[in-house]
Structures are given as C-alpha cells and as structure tokens.
mmCIF file of all heavy atoms in Angstrom:
data_model
loop_
_atom_site.group_PDB
_atom_site.id
_atom_site.type_symbol
_atom_site.label_atom_id
_atom_site.label_comp_id
_atom_site.label_asym_id
_atom_site.label_seq_id
_atom_site.Cartn_x
_atom_site.Cartn_y
_atom_site.Cartn_z
ATOM 1 N N THR A 23 88.552 92.977 92.289
ATOM 2 C CA THR A 23 88.333 94.415 92.273
ATOM 3 C C THR A 23 87.777 94.839 90.919
ATOM 4 O O THR A 23 88.227 94.375 89.884
ATOM 5 C CB THR A 23 89.644 95.152 92.557
ATOM 6 O OG1 THR A 23 90.115 94.749 93.834
ATOM 7 C CG2 THR A 23 89.443 96.644 92.534
ATOM 8 N N GLY A 24 86.802 95.751 90.947
ATOM 9 C CA GLY A 24 86.182 96.204 89.718
ATOM 10 C C GLY A 24 84.810 95.623 89.499
ATOM 11 O O GLY A 24 84.049 96.136 88.688
ATOM 12 N N VAL A 25 84.473 94.537 90.210
ATOM 13 C CA VAL A 25 83.121 93.990 90.157
ATOM 14 C C VAL A 25 82.269 94.816 91.106
ATOM 15 O O VAL A 25 82.537 94.865 92.304
ATOM 16 C CB VAL A 25 83.106 92.499 90.544
ATOM 17 C CG1 VAL A 25 81.685 91.948 90.477
ATOM 18 C CG2 VAL A 25 84.029 91.705 89.631
ATOM 19 N N SER A 26 81.248 95.496 90.585
ATOM 20 C CA SER A 26 80.520 96.500 91.351
ATOM 21 C C SER A 26 79.911 95.932 92.626
ATOM 22 O O SER A 26 79.960 96.565 93.685
ATOM 23 C CB SER A 26 79.422 97.111 90.481
ATOM 24 O OG SER A 26 78.546 96.099 90.003
ATOM 25 N N ILE A 27 79.332 94.722 92.553
ATOM 26 C CA ILE A 27 78.691 94.144 93.740
ATOM 27 C C ILE A 27 79.722 93.928 94.845
ATOM 28 O O ILE A 27 79.493 94.259 96.015
ATOM 29 C CB ILE A 27 77.985 92.829 93.387
ATOM 30 C CG1 ILE A 27 76.903 93.073 92.336
ATOM 31 C CG2 ILE A 27 77.363 92.207 94.626
ATOM 32 C CD1 ILE A 27 75.783 93.955 92.782
ATOM 33 N N ASN A 28 80.888 93.375 94.478
ATOM 34 C CA ASN A 28 81.938 93.151 95.465
ATOM 35 C C ASN A 28 82.440 94.464 96.047
ATOM 36 O O ASN A 28 82.672 94.589 97.256
ATOM 37 C CB ASN A 28 83.097 92.381 94.832
ATOM 38 C CG ASN A 28 82.774 90.915 94.618
ATOM 39 O OD1 ASN A 28 81.957 90.344 95.335
ATOM 40 N ND2 ASN A 28 83.392 90.307 93.625
ATOM 41 N N ASP A 29 82.618 95.467 95.183
ATOM 42 C CA ASP A 29 83.081 96.772 95.669
ATOM 43 C C ASP A 29 82.092 97.379 96.649
ATOM 44 O O ASP A 29 82.482 97.947 97.676
ATOM 45 C CB ASP A 29 83.286 97.720 94.484
ATOM 46 C CG ASP A 29 84.446 97.284 93.591
ATOM 47 O OD1 ASP A 29 85.252 96.460 94.055
ATOM 48 O OD2 ASP A 29 84.521 97.751 92.449
ATOM 49 N N LEU A 30 80.808 97.272 96.351
ATOM 50 C CA LEU A 30 79.793 97.831 97.233
ATOM 51 C C LEU A 30 79.761 97.100 98.568
ATOM 52 O O LEU A 30 79.639 97.714 99.632
ATOM 53 C CB LEU A 30 78.422 97.759 96.558
ATOM 54 C CG LEU A 30 78.194 98.731 95.397
ATOM 55 C CD1 LEU A 30 76.952 98.363 94.618
ATOM 56 C CD2 LEU A 30 78.085 100.161 95.912
ATOM 57 N N ARG A 31 79.851 95.783 98.518
ATOM 58 C CA ARG A 31 79.810 95.012 99.765
ATOM 59 C C ARG A 31 81.024 95.300 100.640
ATOM 60 O O ARG A 31 80.915 95.387 101.869
ATOM 61 C CB ARG A 31 79.731 93.520 99.446
ATOM 62 C CG ARG A 31 78.361 93.070 98.941
ATOM 63 C CD ARG A 31 78.389 91.635 98.495
ATOM 64 N NE ARG A 31 77.038 91.128 98.225
ATOM 65 C CZ ARG A 31 76.789 89.945 97.692
ATOM 66 N NH1 ARG A 31 77.786 89.135 97.367
ATOM 67 N NH2 ARG A 31 75.538 89.565 97.473
ATOM 68 N N LYS A 32 82.201 95.455 100.014
ATOM 69 C CA LYS A 32 83.408 95.718 100.790
ATOM 70 C C LYS A 32 83.407 97.123 101.391
ATOM 71 O O LYS A 32 84.064 97.363 102.405
ATOM 72 C CB LYS A 32 84.640 95.544 99.903
ATOM 73 C CG LYS A 32 84.892 94.104 99.472
ATOM 74 C CD LYS A 32 86.090 94.022 98.537
ATOM 75 C CE LYS A 32 86.320 92.604 98.048
ATOM 76 N NZ LYS A 32 87.449 92.529 97.093
ATOM 77 N N ASN A 33 82.706 98.045 100.744
ATOM 78 C CA ASN A 33 82.711 99.447 101.185
ATOM 79 C C ASN A 33 81.331 99.871 101.673
ATOM 80 O O ASN A 33 80.897 101.008 101.451
ATOM 81 C CB ASN A 33 83.161 100.348 100.038
ATOM 82 C CG ASN A 33 84.572 100.050 99.577
ATOM 83 O OD1 ASN A 33 85.543 100.537 100.139
ATOM 84 N ND2 ASN A 33 84.695 99.229 98.548
ATOM 85 N N LEU A 34 80.638 98.959 102.352
ATOM 86 C CA LEU A 34 79.277 99.247 102.813
ATOM 87 C C LEU A 34 79.262 100.388 103.822
ATOM 88 O O LEU A 34 78.365 101.233 103.816
ATOM 89 C CB LEU A 34 78.667 97.985 103.425
ATOM 90 C CG LEU A 34 77.151 97.991 103.626
ATOM 91 C CD1 LEU A 34 76.433 98.238 102.317
ATOM 92 C CD2 LEU A 34 76.688 96.665 104.231
ATOM 93 N N ARG A 35 80.265 100.440 104.672
ATOM 94 C CA ARG A 35 80.320 101.528 105.657
ATOM 95 C C ARG A 35 80.509 102.880 104.975
ATOM 96 O O ARG A 35 79.884 103.871 105.358
ATOM 97 C CB ARG A 35 81.460 101.271 106.646
ATOM 98 C CG ARG A 35 81.602 102.330 107.719
ATOM 99 C CD ARG A 35 82.660 101.972 108.731
ATOM 100 N NE ARG A 35 82.787 102.991 109.754
ATOM 101 C CZ ARG A 35 83.645 102.930 110.761
ATOM 102 N NH1 ARG A 35 84.435 101.879 110.882
ATOM 103 N NH2 ARG A 35 83.710 103.902 111.644
ATOM 104 N N ASP A 36 81.380 102.926 103.969
ATOM 105 C CA ASP A 36 81.575 104.184 103.237
ATOM 106 C C ASP A 36 80.291 104.611 102.533
ATOM 107 O O ASP A 36 79.992 105.809 102.445
ATOM 108 C CB ASP A 36 82.690 104.020 102.210
ATOM 109 C CG ASP A 36 84.048 103.803 102.858
ATOM 110 O OD1 ASP A 36 84.187 104.183 104.032
ATOM 111 O OD2 ASP A 36 84.942 103.245 102.207
ATOM 112 N N LEU A 37 79.533 103.638 102.039
ATOM 113 C CA LEU A 37 78.270 103.952 101.382
ATOM 114 C C LEU A 37 77.281 104.564 102.375
ATOM 115 O O LEU A 37 76.603 105.558 102.069
ATOM 116 C CB LEU A 37 77.679 102.681 100.756
ATOM 117 C CG LEU A 37 76.345 102.839 100.005
ATOM 118 C CD1 LEU A 37 76.505 103.807 98.841
ATOM 119 C CD2 LEU A 37 75.870 101.492 99.502
ATOM 120 N N ASN A 38 77.194 103.999 103.570
ATOM 121 C CA ASN A 38 76.303 104.549 104.596
ATOM 122 C C ASN A 38 76.741 105.955 105.010
ATOM 123 O O ASN A 38 75.904 106.851 105.191
ATOM 124 C CB ASN A 38 76.277 103.625 105.814
ATOM 125 C CG ASN A 38 75.422 102.393 105.597
ATOM 126 O OD1 ASN A 38 74.357 102.455 104.999
ATOM 127 N ND2 ASN A 38 75.882 101.255 106.066
ATOM 128 N N ASP A 39 78.048 106.152 105.158
ATOM 129 C CA ASP A 39 78.548 107.484 105.526
ATOM 130 C C ASP A 39 78.230 108.504 104.436
ATOM 131 O O ASP A 39 77.870 109.656 104.727
ATOM 132 C CB ASP A 39 80.059 107.435 105.770
ATOM 133 C CG ASP A 39 80.419 106.620 107.007
ATOM 134 O OD1 ASP A 39 79.526 106.407 107.847
ATOM 135 O OD2 ASP A 39 81.578 106.187 107.112
ATOM 136 N N HIS A 40 78.365 108.097 103.194
ATOM 137 C CA HIS A 40 78.052 109.010 102.084
ATOM 138 C C HIS A 40 76.579 109.402 102.108
ATOM 139 O O HIS A 40 76.243 110.578 101.881
ATOM 140 C CB HIS A 40 78.397 108.329 100.755
ATOM 141 C CG HIS A 40 77.952 109.105 99.557
ATOM 142 N ND1 HIS A 40 78.668 110.165 99.034
ATOM 143 C CD2 HIS A 40 76.834 108.989 98.766
ATOM 144 C CE1 HIS A 40 78.034 110.653 97.992
ATOM 145 N NE2 HIS A 40 76.922 109.966 97.792
ATOM 146 N N MET A 41 75.696 108.445 102.379
ATOM 147 C CA MET A 41 74.266 108.742 102.409
ATOM 148 C C MET A 41 73.938 109.717 103.537
ATOM 149 O O MET A 41 73.100 110.609 103.380
ATOM 150 C CB MET A 41 73.469 107.451 102.559
ATOM 151 C CG MET A 41 73.553 106.527 101.352
ATOM 152 S SD MET A 41 73.075 107.334 99.806
ATOM 153 C CE MET A 41 71.397 107.824 100.191
ATOM 154 N N GLU A 42 74.589 109.568 104.670
ATOM 155 C CA GLU A 42 74.344 110.500 105.778
ATOM 156 C C GLU A 42 74.776 111.914 105.410
ATOM 157 O O GLU A 42 74.091 112.893 105.722
ATOM 158 C CB GLU A 42 75.089 110.013 107.027
ATOM 159 C CG GLU A 42 74.498 108.759 107.654
ATOM 160 C CD GLU A 42 75.162 108.415 108.961
ATOM 161 O OE1 GLU A 42 75.619 109.351 109.655
ATOM 162 O OE2 GLU A 42 75.236 107.224 109.291
ATOM 163 N N ARG A 43 75.915 112.023 104.742
ATOM 164 C CA ARG A 43 76.392 113.360 104.351
ATOM 165 C C ARG A 43 75.477 113.990 103.310
ATOM 166 O O ARG A 43 75.128 115.167 103.400
ATOM 167 C CB ARG A 43 77.818 113.264 103.807
ATOM 168 C CG ARG A 43 78.866 112.917 104.834
ATOM 169 C CD ARG A 43 80.256 113.148 104.273
ATOM 170 N NE ARG A 43 80.498 112.337 103.089
ATOM 171 C CZ ARG A 43 81.032 111.119 103.100
ATOM 172 N NH1 ARG A 43 81.383 110.572 104.261
ATOM 173 N NH2 ARG A 43 81.228 110.452 101.983
ATOM 174 N N GLU A 44 75.080 113.198 102.314
ATOM 175 C CA GLU A 44 74.269 113.748 101.232
ATOM 176 C C GLU A 44 72.864 114.109 101.708
ATOM 177 O O GLU A 44 72.237 115.025 101.159
ATOM 178 C CB GLU A 44 74.179 112.730 100.086
ATOM 179 C CG GLU A 44 75.470 112.542 99.320
ATOM 180 C CD GLU A 44 75.911 113.814 98.620
ATOM 181 O OE1 GLU A 44 75.045 114.512 98.063
ATOM 182 O OE2 GLU A 44 77.118 114.118 98.641
ATOM 183 N N CYS A 45 72.354 113.396 102.699
ATOM 184 C CA CYS A 45 70.991 113.638 103.177
ATOM 185 C C CYS A 45 70.951 114.599 104.352
ATOM 186 O O CYS A 45 69.893 114.784 104.966
ATOM 187 C CB CYS A 45 70.321 112.311 103.560
ATOM 188 S SG CYS A 45 70.057 111.199 102.157
ATOM 189 N N ALA A 46 72.091 115.207 104.681
ATOM 190 C CA ALA A 46 72.103 116.170 105.786
ATOM 191 C C ALA A 46 71.248 117.391 105.472
ATOM 192 O O ALA A 46 70.797 118.094 106.383
ATOM 193 C CB ALA A 46 73.545 116.592 106.095
ATOM 194 N N SER A 47 71.006 117.662 104.189
ATOM 195 C CA SER A 47 70.199 118.823 103.810
ATOM 196 C C SER A 47 68.700 118.582 103.973
ATOM 197 O O SER A 47 67.906 119.493 103.737
ATOM 198 C CB SER A 47 70.484 119.204 102.354
ATOM 199 O OG SER A 47 70.125 118.152 101.469
ATOM 200 N N SER A 48 68.294 117.362 104.372
ATOM 201 C CA SER A 48 66.865 117.077 104.511
ATOM 202 C C SER A 48 66.223 117.912 105.618
ATOM 203 O O SER A 48 65.019 118.142 105.605
ATOM 204 C CB SER A 48 66.653 115.585 104.797
ATOM 205 O OG SER A 48 67.259 115.214 106.020
ATOM 206 N N VAL A 49 67.024 118.372 106.577
ATOM 207 C CA VAL A 49 66.478 119.227 107.646
ATOM 208 C C VAL A 49 65.980 120.536 107.048
ATOM 209 O O VAL A 49 64.863 120.989 107.336
ATOM 210 C CB VAL A 49 67.546 119.491 108.721
ATOM 211 C CG1 VAL A 49 67.006 120.446 109.782
ATOM 212 C CG2 VAL A 49 67.979 118.181 109.363
ATOM 213 N N ALA A 50 66.810 121.158 106.229
ATOM 214 C CA ALA A 50 66.413 122.435 105.617
ATOM 215 C C ALA A 50 65.347 122.238 104.550
ATOM 216 O O ALA A 50 64.529 123.127 104.321
ATOM 217 C CB ALA A 50 67.636 123.127 105.023
ATOM 218 N N ARG A 51 65.327 121.088 103.890
ATOM 219 C CA ARG A 51 64.366 120.841 102.817
ATOM 220 C C ARG A 51 62.988 120.485 103.349
ATOM 221 O O ARG A 51 61.976 121.077 102.958
ATOM 222 C CB ARG A 51 64.861 119.690 101.927
ATOM 223 C CG ARG A 51 66.092 119.987 101.106
ATOM 224 C CD ARG A 51 66.585 118.723 100.434
ATOM 225 N NE ARG A 51 67.770 118.928 99.629
ATOM 226 C CZ ARG A 51 67.761 119.208 98.328
ATOM 227 N NH1 ARG A 51 66.613 119.294 97.687
ATOM 228 N NH2 ARG A 51 68.881 119.390 97.662
ATOM 229 N N TYR A 52 62.954 119.490 104.243
ATOM 230 C CA TYR A 52 61.667 118.898 104.636
ATOM 231 C C TYR A 52 61.395 118.921 106.140
ATOM 232 O O TYR A 52 60.360 118.454 106.578
ATOM 233 C CB TYR A 52 61.599 117.444 104.152
ATOM 234 C CG TYR A 52 62.056 117.259 102.738
ATOM 235 C CD1 TYR A 52 63.201 116.514 102.436
ATOM 236 C CD2 TYR A 52 61.364 117.842 101.682
ATOM 237 C CE1 TYR A 52 63.632 116.345 101.131
ATOM 238 C CE2 TYR A 52 61.784 117.685 100.371
ATOM 239 C CZ TYR A 52 62.923 116.933 100.098
ATOM 240 O OH TYR A 52 63.351 116.779 98.821
ATOM 241 N N GLY A 53 62.337 119.437 106.927
ATOM 242 C CA GLY A 53 62.127 119.457 108.371
ATOM 243 C C GLY A 53 62.286 118.098 109.006
ATOM 244 O O GLY A 53 61.757 117.853 110.096
ATOM 245 N N ILE A 54 63.006 117.189 108.366
ATOM 246 C CA ILE A 54 63.229 115.836 108.888
ATOM 247 C C ILE A 54 64.730 115.593 108.936
ATOM 248 O O ILE A 54 65.440 115.834 107.958
ATOM 249 C CB ILE A 54 62.543 114.771 108.014
ATOM 250 C CG1 ILE A 54 61.026 114.936 108.099
ATOM 251 C CG2 ILE A 54 62.946 113.374 108.439
ATOM 252 C CD1 ILE A 54 60.267 113.931 107.253
ATOM 253 N N LEU A 55 65.207 115.124 110.069
ATOM 254 C CA LEU A 55 66.616 114.823 110.246
ATOM 255 C C LEU A 55 66.827 113.317 110.120
ATOM 256 O O LEU A 55 66.221 112.529 110.857
ATOM 257 C CB LEU A 55 67.095 115.297 111.620
ATOM 258 C CG LEU A 55 68.518 114.891 112.015
ATOM 259 C CD1 LEU A 55 69.534 115.516 111.067
ATOM 260 C CD2 LEU A 55 68.810 115.281 113.459
ATOM 261 N N LEU A 56 67.687 112.906 109.185
ATOM 262 C CA LEU A 56 68.042 111.501 109.031
ATOM 263 C C LEU A 56 69.181 111.188 109.997
ATOM 264 O O LEU A 56 70.318 111.612 109.797
ATOM 265 C CB LEU A 56 68.459 111.209 107.595
ATOM 266 C CG LEU A 56 67.349 111.321 106.537
ATOM 267 C CD1 LEU A 56 67.913 111.054 105.149
ATOM 268 C CD2 LEU A 56 66.226 110.354 106.827
ATOM 269 N N ASP A 57 68.859 110.452 111.051
ATOM 270 C CA ASP A 57 69.887 110.101 112.035
ATOM 271 C C ASP A 57 70.916 109.147 111.449
ATOM 272 O O ASP A 57 72.111 109.275 111.702
ATOM 273 C CB ASP A 57 69.232 109.456 113.267
ATOM 274 C CG ASP A 57 68.691 110.506 114.217
ATOM 275 O OD1 ASP A 57 69.002 111.687 114.008
ATOM 276 O OD2 ASP A 57 67.957 110.159 115.145
ATOM 277 N N ALA A 58 70.465 108.171 110.691
ATOM 278 C CA ALA A 58 71.387 107.186 110.121
ATOM 279 C C ALA A 58 70.686 106.400 109.028
ATOM 280 O O ALA A 58 69.467 106.199 109.076
ATOM 281 C CB ALA A 58 71.902 106.233 111.201
ATOM 282 N N SER A 59 71.476 105.984 108.058
ATOM 283 C CA SER A 59 70.998 105.044 107.047
ATOM 284 C C SER A 59 71.775 103.752 107.238
ATOM 285 O O SER A 59 73.008 103.755 107.221
ATOM 286 C CB SER A 59 71.209 105.606 105.643
ATOM 287 O OG SER A 59 72.582 105.828 105.401
ATOM 288 N N LEU A 60 71.052 102.677 107.451
ATOM 289 C CA LEU A 60 71.687 101.399 107.743
ATOM 290 C C LEU A 60 71.417 100.432 106.596
ATOM 291 O O LEU A 60 70.460 99.667 106.630
ATOM 292 C CB LEU A 60 71.145 100.840 109.075
ATOM 293 C CG LEU A 60 71.274 101.782 110.288
ATOM 294 C CD1 LEU A 60 70.589 101.184 111.496
ATOM 295 C CD2 LEU A 60 72.736 102.076 110.587
ATOM 296 N N ILE A 61 72.259 100.494 105.577
ATOM 297 C CA ILE A 61 72.152 99.556 104.454
ATOM 298 C C ILE A 61 72.825 98.263 104.882
ATOM 299 O O ILE A 61 74.036 98.220 105.109
ATOM 300 C CB ILE A 61 72.812 100.132 103.201
ATOM 301 C CG1 ILE A 61 72.183 101.493 102.856
ATOM 302 C CG2 ILE A 61 72.677 99.174 102.024
ATOM 303 C CD1 ILE A 61 72.891 102.222 101.743
ATOM 304 N N THR A 62 72.049 97.215 105.010
ATOM 305 C CA THR A 62 72.563 95.967 105.575
ATOM 306 C C THR A 62 72.804 94.889 104.537
ATOM 307 O O THR A 62 73.547 93.940 104.807
ATOM 308 C CB THR A 62 71.587 95.427 106.628
ATOM 309 O OG1 THR A 62 70.280 95.276 106.036
ATOM 310 C CG2 THR A 62 71.473 96.402 107.791
ATOM 311 N N GLY A 63 72.181 94.966 103.360
ATOM 312 C CA GLY A 63 72.322 93.905 102.382
ATOM 313 C C GLY A 63 72.328 94.427 100.965
ATOM 314 O O GLY A 63 71.571 95.335 100.623
ATOM 315 N N ILE A 64 73.210 93.852 100.143
ATOM 316 C CA ILE A 64 73.271 94.151 98.712
ATOM 317 C C ILE A 64 73.277 92.805 97.998
ATOM 318 O O ILE A 64 74.296 92.105 98.006
ATOM 319 C CB ILE A 64 74.512 94.975 98.356
ATOM 320 C CG1 ILE A 64 74.506 96.308 99.129
ATOM 321 C CG2 ILE A 64 74.590 95.237 96.867
ATOM 322 C CD1 ILE A 64 75.727 97.158 98.882
ATOM 323 N N ASP A 65 72.158 92.445 97.410
ATOM 324 C CA ASP A 65 71.995 91.104 96.848
ATOM 325 C C ASP A 65 71.666 91.192 95.358
ATOM 326 O O ASP A 65 70.642 91.771 94.978
ATOM 327 C CB ASP A 65 70.882 90.354 97.574
ATOM 328 C CG ASP A 65 71.167 90.222 99.069
ATOM 329 O OD1 ASP A 65 72.301 89.873 99.403
ATOM 330 O OD2 ASP A 65 70.251 90.476 99.879
ATOM 331 N N PRO A 66 72.512 90.602 94.515
ATOM 332 C CA PRO A 66 72.231 90.571 93.075
ATOM 333 C C PRO A 66 71.249 89.451 92.749
ATOM 334 O O PRO A 66 70.905 88.640 93.620
ATOM 335 C CB PRO A 66 73.611 90.296 92.468
ATOM 336 C CG PRO A 66 74.303 89.493 93.524
ATOM 337 C CD PRO A 66 73.811 90.029 94.840
ATOM 338 N N PRO A 67 70.782 89.347 91.505
ATOM 339 C CA PRO A 67 69.907 88.234 91.102
ATOM 340 C C PRO A 67 70.622 86.887 91.298
ATOM 341 O O PRO A 67 71.853 86.822 91.317
ATOM 342 C CB PRO A 67 69.634 88.522 89.620
ATOM 343 C CG PRO A 67 69.865 89.975 89.464
ATOM 344 C CD PRO A 67 70.950 90.327 90.425
ATOM 345 N N PRO A 68 69.860 85.793 91.427
ATOM 346 C CA PRO A 68 70.471 84.474 91.680
ATOM 347 C C PRO A 68 71.487 84.071 90.630
ATOM 348 O O PRO A 68 72.532 83.495 90.947
ATOM 349 C CB PRO A 68 69.266 83.525 91.688
ATOM 350 C CG PRO A 68 68.103 84.394 92.051
ATOM 351 C CD PRO A 68 68.382 85.730 91.459
ATOM 352 N N GLU A 69 71.211 84.352 89.347
ATOM 353 C CA GLU A 69 72.145 83.930 88.301
ATOM 354 C C GLU A 69 73.457 84.697 88.392
ATOM 355 O O GLU A 69 74.524 84.185 88.022
ATOM 356 C CB GLU A 69 71.520 84.137 86.914
ATOM 357 C CG GLU A 69 71.141 85.576 86.581
ATOM 358 C CD GLU A 69 69.755 85.958 87.055
ATOM 359 O OE1 GLU A 69 69.179 85.174 87.860
ATOM 360 O OE2 GLU A 69 69.241 87.002 86.634
#
C-alpha cells in the first residue's frame, strides 16, 4: 500500500467511476455525453 501504480490498479473501477462523474458536465460544455470511460491498463516503464 502506498505504491501509486499498485493503488491505481487495485482501484481501477473507482478511477473509472470518478472519470464518469467528473466528465458529466461535458453535455453542457460541448454537447457530447460520455457514456463510459473504460481504463483497462496501467503500465509503468519496464525498469
């Protein structure tokens, strides 16, 4: 716990939910509705 990559991978669903909430205003801003953001991979450099 505390390693950012591990935290992000473990909470990938929460990250997607947060993006949907934050981008809900795109309808009023740009006339585009974001149905879902599907972040599927978080990959650090090989080293």
Side-chain angles (χ1 to χ4, degrees):
T23 300
V25 180
S26 57
I27 299 296
N28 286 333
D29 293 344
L30 288 167
R31 286 173 170 173
K32 292 177 183 178
N33 298 276
L34 195 57
R35 181 175 180 180
D36 293 338
L37 181 61
N38 283 320
D39 293 341
H40 173 82
M41 293 305 301
E42 289 187 30
R43 291 193 300 269
E44 289 297 319
C45 295
S47 62
S48 62
V49 177
R51 292 172 180 268
Y52 314 115
I54 294 179
L55 173 63
L56 293 178
D57 278 350
S59 61
L60 305 174
I61 303 172
T62 56
I64 300 177
D65 301 314
E69 60 273 13

